[in-house]
Amino acid sequence: MRVSSNAFEEGGWIPKRYTGRGEDISPALHIEDIPNQTKSFIITLDDASHPIFPNYNHWIIWNIPVCSDIPESVPKGEVVSELSGAIQGIAYGRHCYRGPKPPLKTTHNYTFTIYALCDLIDLPAASTKKEVLKQASNLILDQASLTGKFQSHRNESEDAG
């Protein structure tokens, strides 16, 4: 399985609009080579560079229906009707996407991970990433990640040249 985004490339800069310093909306994600037995997806977003809490979880959403394209700007809320009732749990974003927002001029790496599951997960929206992945551990068929970087006070116009 592979995941990509039209917003940024693997290892590239995450545009400000997808961060806590911009519009704070989730980027569109494209999934390829989905296992045939897949019944649902989980998506997590983690700050892989957090100095105190390694892999600090920013977003957890599960029971996403099988599709090759996750749309941009997943709405806030425990239940996402636009994604057939997918559930958003408790992370830095409580029942919503919360994008990168590192302090000062530090550059942090952020990893989106997609898990393909052979079933749905029956957990309340008050669940955390740890609880969701524990429940999903025997259901995971495959996973793929996309990592980007962000610096809060970076000038994006530098990319144009």
Side-chain angles (χ1 to χ4, degrees), residues 91-102:
Y92 177 55
R94 295 181 66 83
H95 310 299
C96 67
Y97 172 88
R98 288 292 302 269
K101 192 176 178 181

Side-chain angles (χ1 to χ4, degrees), residues 2 9-10 31 42 59-60 79 83 91 110 115 142 145 152 157:
R2 292 184 316 236
E9 294 182 5
E10 172 65 33
I31 308 162
I42 296 171
W59 188 34
I60 176 76
V79 177
L83 290 175
Y110 294 86
Y115 299 86
D142 201 354
S145 297
S152 291
S157 64

